[in-house]
């Protein structure tokens, strides 16, 4: 079943999809949430699994540590300004390949807590089913948030080709 697949399967899919790209380099942005735990695969943390799986497929990984996650209010402001064209980058989605991410972003709820508002992540703790897939929850939106924040705040340039590289979202 699809909902039993984990990080290695996702990276297998990515590498298969991009197998004909000449540049086999990915920029992997991550924050502290990728360190020290891994409920998705084994005893290694998310960062190790992701880098290991890409390298196993022959890809080079430029890993960029972003530190602690950005506060929700700052993240919300940054990303909404980007969608409005008021930041250095403006996100565009490949609609043909991102139905799940677009649905997850559109349906992500907001709750108000003692530290202000934040993304409602209550659904992340529920068991996955065919009617309630992980890719429609906030996990995917968090991955998009981290990717965008990394690209906006810590852009990486390919010095060999002098071109900016950004993962297609």
């Amino acid at each position: 079943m699809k909902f039993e697949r984990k990080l290695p399967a996702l990276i297998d899919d990515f590498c298969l999809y991009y197998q004909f790209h000449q540049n086999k380099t990915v920029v992997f942005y991550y924050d502290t949430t990728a360190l020290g735990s891994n409920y998705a695969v084994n005893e290694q943390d998310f960062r190790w699994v992701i880098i290991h799986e890409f390298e196993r497929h022959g890809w080079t990984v430029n890993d960029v540590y972003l530190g602690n996650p950005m506060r929700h209010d700052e993240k919300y402001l940054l990303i909404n300004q980007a969608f409005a064209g008021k930041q250095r980058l403006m996100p565009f989605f490949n609609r043909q390949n991102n139905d799940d991410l677009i649905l997850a972003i559109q349906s992500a709820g907001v709750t108000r807590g003692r530290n202000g508002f934040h993304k409602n992540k209550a659904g992340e703790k529920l068991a996955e089913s065919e009617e309630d897939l992980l890719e429609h929850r906030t996990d995917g939106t968090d991955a998009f948030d981290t990717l965008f924040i990394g690209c906006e705040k810590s852009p990486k340039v390919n010095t060999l080709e002098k071109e900016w590289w950004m993962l297609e979202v």
Side-chain angles (χ1 to χ4, degrees):
M1 296 178 91
K2 180 178 177 184
F3 55 88
E4 293 176 351
R5 301 177 78 225
K6 303 292 183 188
L7 281 174
L10 174 68
I11 294 168
D12 288 345
D13 291 348
F14 178 96
C15 293
L16 181 63
Y17 185 83
Y18 290 105
Q19 68 183 323
F20 298 111
H21 278 231
Q22 290 182 356
N23 182 350
K24 299 279 195 245
T25 302
V26 294
V27 178
F28 168 46
Y29 293 103
Y30 65 99
D31 59 29
T32 57
T33 62
L35 302 175
S37 66
N38 183 346
Y39 54 83
V41 182
N42 55 33
E43 70 281 351
Q44 302 296 336
D45 63 19
F46 291 122
R47 177 193 169 275
W48 184 91
V49 170
I50 290 167
I51 292 170
H52 173 77
E53 289 299 316
F54 272 114
E55 289 176 344
R56 188 175 66 78
H57 285 283
W59 288 68
T60 300
V61 179
N62 292 334
D63 57 316
V64 181
Y65 179 59
L66 301 174
N68 289 325
M70 185 179 277
R71 285 187 8 216
H72 289 282
D73 57 335
E74 292 174 356
K75 183 187 323 185
Y76 176 83
L77 182 61
L78 175 74
I79 293 172
N80 280 326
Q81 285 179 339
F83 279 125
K86 297 178 182 177
Q87 291 293 329
R88 187 178 60 81
L89 298 176
M90 182 177 211
F92 288 92
F93 295 91
N94 178 336
R95 289 189 180 273
Q96 292 177 320
N97 292 333
N98 283 295
D99 291 337
D100 294 324
L101 176 60
I102 292 167
L103 178 62
I105 289 172
Q106 291 172 336
S107 60
V110 175
T111 60
R112 187 176 298 270
R114 67 175 192 265
N115 296 322
F117 70 92
H118 57 275
K119 201 182 293 185
N120 184 351
K121 297 172 169 259
E124 289 183 10
K125 293 177 176 47
L126 301 175
E128 184 178 22
S129 69
E130 290 189 44
E131 296 80 33
D132 186 20
L133 299 173
L134 287 178
E135 55 263 39
H136 297 158
R137 297 181 187 176
T138 53
D139 293 306
T141 66
D142 290 343
F144 166 77
D145 294 349
T146 303
L147 173 62
F148 180 78
I149 291 164
C151 291
E152 180 67 34
K153 299 290 188 180
S154 299
K156 294 296 162 198
V157 84
N158 184 332
T159 54
L160 295 176
E161 298 178 16
K162 302 288 186 198
E163 293 180 16
W164 291 94
W165 290 93
M166 186 170 159
L167 179 66
E168 175 187 311
V169 176

